[in-house]
């Protein structure tokens, strides 16, 4: 029965059925095939409701809402100007400023595609005007935007925490250094690219002169409230003042206050559109989460986690070997599955076996999220590729080919994260 459930799930994926419906069909199948099976339709409905009957899940739409408000409010431009002012004049400095902007903006949006859209719309034209290849600029933004789900607050961390009973606050804390490490390796590639390919130093110096002429206090003041946003959100969580859900609520009020009254980049009339779009964006994700919880419950009744654990324990006796194979599997899954659904399906199934190997469950959440995030830029289904490609009027696959070297440097950081646990766990 377990094999049939997974066959139905993956066949639906192959035929491009929405992920929520893939899980839905696979979830109700055992009850339809065997009326005596405990996991009947009533059980599925109870599991779905129980899966979303938690305060923690409210953090997801709230972070989506605050990220949308800040994107429209122009916070990404102000962040970029600050980083370009400090490092833009150095070799490879402007591409590095893009990576750092994605890192900071990820701490605002919690989403890879949202980070790609907000930062890309502003940074790609700047890089191309400075003489950089438009395909390189798009690939850099698409890859760096994956930091949006790694640096906290991250929606996939919340999803993983909900289905595995892992502390979301611990996942947020553990995600800081891995996100910074990946950003560092992406910047190393950006510098090497600029050294090898060359830069138009005349245009770069002219751009930096414009920022200098604005004056450092002016640039810092323009970007101050954008820089303060992740400090307020994450500082509140780590200090224990607010929970992640409460921090998400604070982020919405902060975004409205800054963009409406300080930057005056949105109006009261715009707010209804933000609320409507946040609900539309969250609805399919919310359905995926509740169906994922029911799917996991059905798999538990079928003893799928125990079967997987027994097979893994006879196949892999080495922790390092298992982690290497897991990385390969996650890399392939990331090509067809979004980070959140993949976390919610695989997390509960893997956590028992990885615990027996001595893998901390917080570390497992970081490994899975970082590995699956590569899927944002791996052809043929990399979501960020489809977000960035229209900005430069190129085929997504062309952007994907340019992203291969960036993915290689990303993988170096990922291997360090996997095999050096203190990178993730030292702050816990």
């Amino acid at each position: 029965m377990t094999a049939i459930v997974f066959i139905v799930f993956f066949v639906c994926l192959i035929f491009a059925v929405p992920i929520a419906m893939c899980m839905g069909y696979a979830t109700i199948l055992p009850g339809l095939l065997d009326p005596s099976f405990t996991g009947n339709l009533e059980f599925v409905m109870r599991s779905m409701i129980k899966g979303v009957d938690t305060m923690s899940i409210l953090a997801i739409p709230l972070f989506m809402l605050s990220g949308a408000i800040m994107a429209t409010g122009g916070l990404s431009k102000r962040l970029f100007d600050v980083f370009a002012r400090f490092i833009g004049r150095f070799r490879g400095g402007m591409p590095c400023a893009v990576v750092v902007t994605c890192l900071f903006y990820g701490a605002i949006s919690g989403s890879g595609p949202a980070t790609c859209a907000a930062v890309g719309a502003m940074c790609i034209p700047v890089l191309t005007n400075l003489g950089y290849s438009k395909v390189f600029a798009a690939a850099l933004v698409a890859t760096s935007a994956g930091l949006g789900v790694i640096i906290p607050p991250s929606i996939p961390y919340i999803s993983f925490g909900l289905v595995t009973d892992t502390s979301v606050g611990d996942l947020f804390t553990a995600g800081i250094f891995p996100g910074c490490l990946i950003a560092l390796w992406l910047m190393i590639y950006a510098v090497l690219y600029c050294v090898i390919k060359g830069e138009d130093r005349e245009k770069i110096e002219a751009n930096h002169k414009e920022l200098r002429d604005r004056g450092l206090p002016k640039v810092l003041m323009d970007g101050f409230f954008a820089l303060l946003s992740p400090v307020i959100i994450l500082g509140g969580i780590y200090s224990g003042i607010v929970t992640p859900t409460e921090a998400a609520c604070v982020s919405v009020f902060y975004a409205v206050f800054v963009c409406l009254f300080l930057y005056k980049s949105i109006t009261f009339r715009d707010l209804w559109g933000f609320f409507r779009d946040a609900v539309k964006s969250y609805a399919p994700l919310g359905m995926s989460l509740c169906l994922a919880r029911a799917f996991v419950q059905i798999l538990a009744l079928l003893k799928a986690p125990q079967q997987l654990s027994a097979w893994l324990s006879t196949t892999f006796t080495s922790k390092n070997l298992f982690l290497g194979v897991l990385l390969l599997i996650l890399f392939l899954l990331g090509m067809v599955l979004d980070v959140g659904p993949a976390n919610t399906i695989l997390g509960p199934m893997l956590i028992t076996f990885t615990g027996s190997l001595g893998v901390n469950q917080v570390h497992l959440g970081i490994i899975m999220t970082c590995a699956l995030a590569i899927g944002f830029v791996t052809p043929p289904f990399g979501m960020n590729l489809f977000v960035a490609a229209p900005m430069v009027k190129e085929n997504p696959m062309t952007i994907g080919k340019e992203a291969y070297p960036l993915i290689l440097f990303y993988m170096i950081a990922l291997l360090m994260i996997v095999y050096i646990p203190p990178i993730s766990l030292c702050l816990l």
Side-chain angles (χ1 to χ4, degrees):
M1 183 71 77
T2 304
I4 295 174
V5 167
F6 278 107
I7 289 172
V8 168
F9 176 77
F10 283 108
V11 167
C12 289
L13 277 181
I14 292 171
F15 284 97
V17 176
I19 182 67
M21 301 310 298
C22 293
M23 289 187 287
Y25 294 143
T27 299
I28 65 174
L29 182 63
L32 295 178
L33 293 178
D34 182 5
S36 64
F37 182 61
T38 306
N40 53 26
L41 290 178
E42 182 181 349
F43 176 88
V44 170
M45 291 301 298
R46 288 201 307 269
S47 299
M48 289 173 62
I49 294 171
K50 185 179 179 181
V52 292
D53 186 19
T54 171
M55 287 290 291
S56 299
I57 203 170
L58 292 176
I60 297 176
L62 289 173
F63 277 128
M64 285 181 166
L65 176 58
S66 65
I69 294 172
M70 292 181 188
T72 305
L75 268 70
S76 59
K77 175 68 169 66
R78 291 173 168 85
L79 284 172
F80 181 70
D81 284 347
V82 172
F83 303 130
R85 173 63 176 78
F86 284 103
I87 63 176
R89 66 187 298 265
F90 299 106
R91 178 73 67 181
M94 293 303 289
C96 287
V98 172
V99 177
V100 180
T101 302
C102 288
L103 182 71
F104 269 76
Y105 193 83
I108 295 173
S109 72
S111 165
T115 300
C116 185
V119 177
M122 182 273 304
C123 288
I124 291 176
V126 173
L127 290 184
T128 53
N129 289 337
L130 293 176
Y132 296 96
S133 161
K134 65 179 182 179
V135 177
F136 165 73
L140 179 67
V141 170
T143 309
S144 302
L147 295 168
V149 298
I150 298 171
I151 202 75
S154 161
I155 292 171
Y157 289 160
I158 300 172
S159 302
F160 182 87
L162 287 173
V163 298
T164 60
D165 294 323
T166 305
S167 167
V168 175
D170 285 350
L171 287 166
F172 280 6
T173 303
I176 295 176
F177 284 162
C180 293
L181 180 63
I182 292 171
L184 175 62
W185 277 99
L186 293 179
M187 286 190 284
I188 290 173
Y189 172 76
V191 172
L192 291 175
Y193 176 91
C194 293
V195 169
I196 296 171
K197 300 285 187 178
E199 295 177 295
D200 191 331
R201 297 306 304 174
E202 184 177 340
K203 290 183 178 179
I204 292 172
E205 290 293 343
N207 179 76
H208 194 261
K209 183 178 183 301
E210 289 181 12
L211 290 173
R212 288 201 311 269
D213 290 343
R214 285 172 57 187
L216 182 58
K218 173 65 174 173
V219 173
L220 288 176
M221 282 305 300
D222 285 346
F224 176 75
F225 293 103
L227 291 168
L228 191 61
S229 177
V231 175
I232 291 176
I233 297 170
L234 301 180
I237 295 173
Y238 300 146
S239 64
I241 297 174
V242 293
T243 65
T245 304
E246 292 165 345
C249 189
V250 170
S251 73
V252 173
F253 281 96
Y254 181 80
V256 172
F257 177 75
V258 170
C259 296
L260 192 61
F261 298 107
L262 298 181
Y263 290 153
K264 298 181 180 179
S265 49
I266 64 173
T267 65
F268 280 104
R269 186 176 298 178
D270 296 327
L271 293 179
W272 174 251
F274 290 128
F275 296 149
R276 182 187 62 243
D277 292 343
V279 172
K280 286 183 177 179
S281 299
Y282 173 66
L285 179 57
M287 180 59 71
S288 295
L289 281 172
C290 66
L291 283 169
R293 191 61 181 254
F295 186 42
V296 168
Q297 292 294 323
I298 293 297
L299 291 177
L301 290 176
L302 294 172
K303 300 188 183 322
Q306 292 90 331
Q307 294 171 20
L308 177 64
S309 181
W311 179 77
L312 290 174
S313 61
T314 57
T315 307
F316 301 101
T317 55
S318 167
K319 171 183 172 181
N320 290 336
L321 176 60
F322 169 75
L323 290 176
V325 174
L326 177 62
L327 278 184
L328 178 60
I329 294 171
L330 293 173
F331 180 78
L332 295 174
L333 280 177
M335 295 181 181
V336 295
L337 277 179
D338 196 9
V339 184
N343 269 353
T344 55
I345 295 169
L346 292 177
M349 296 186 65
L350 290 173
I351 204 161
T352 301
F353 177 68
T354 54
S356 68
L357 287 179
V359 179
N360 184 286
Q361 66 185 55
V362 173
H363 189 209
L364 176 64
I366 300 299
I367 291 172
M368 291 183 63
T369 302
C370 292
L372 290 165
I374 302 178
F376 282 125
V377 285
T378 48
F381 303 113
M383 192 179 301
N384 285 359
L385 299 178
F386 289 90
V387 175
M391 300 179 190
V392 293
K393 298 179 180 178
E394 285 284 353
N395 187 287
M397 297 307 102
T398 303
I399 310 297
K401 291 177 182 177
E402 186 72 22
Y404 285 147
L406 286 158
I407 293 173
L408 177 61
F409 277 71
Y410 187 119
M411 289 295 294
I412 295 173
L414 180 59
L415 289 172
M416 295 176 66
I417 292 165
V418 171
Y419 291 109
I420 310 176
I423 292 174
S424 303
L425 305 178
C426 64
L427 296 178
L428 299 182

